[in-house]
Amino acid sequence: GNSVTQMEGPVTLSEEAFLTINCTYTATGYPSLFWYVQYPGEGLQLLLKATKADDKGSNKGFEATYRKETTSFHLEKGSVQVSDSAVYFCALNSPQGAQKLVFGQGTRLTINP
Amino acid sequence: GAGVSQSPSNKVTEKGKDVELRCDPISGHTALYWYRQSLGQGLEFLIYFQGNSAPDKSGLPSDRFSAERTGGSVSTLTIQRTQQEDSAVYLCASSSQGYNEQFFGPGTRLTVL
């Protein structure tokens, strides 16, 4: 079945540091890949997505590239801010059937000033 | 326009009681999903409704869980004879079509004593 494995946290960085959160997946067919973010006290929000191999999703300075050869979708940001502190979830959905999201376990990111 | 809304935001119940959780999707969205977020299991898919099609119930953890969607809009998730392991945040999401971005509600935090 489909599954997502992401880097376990918590991750703590200083402001302006470079961020990478690793995400790999197992899926049949060609899923779409997503990063969702959950800020403290708020609901899940879509951060970025990519729907086919080699696509790069980007938003708010974050980027992730759909790598079919390594089945990965790592999240990166060149210079993090305190406001990026949140829990980040990698997810996929299958182009067949219900398109339900399969999530990784989440990575809690804390950015210190 | 209004986002996905859920009620109640918090629910505390005693073991063995039944609970109903409500979701109002974004107007016009044909697809509706329920997920559960718990410490031990992360984010798990529960059930999916798409238009007038039969729901995909493959994620429901036991026959104590059921859901309905009336008139293609509001959905109710019912948990009968609640157990302590049902304690979690129950999230609802909707999308305009199954393959598009899912918009999440703020969730209902259920605590079973």
Side-chain angles (χ1 to χ4, degrees), chain A residues 14-37:
Chain A
S14 297
E15 206 165 22
E16 300 183 1
F18 183 86
L19 169 71
T20 300
I21 301 178
N22 289 337
C23 172
T24 57
Y25 67 90
T26 302
T28 54
Y30 301 95
S32 290
L33 302 174
F34 306 84
W35 278 100
Y36 278 82
V37 59

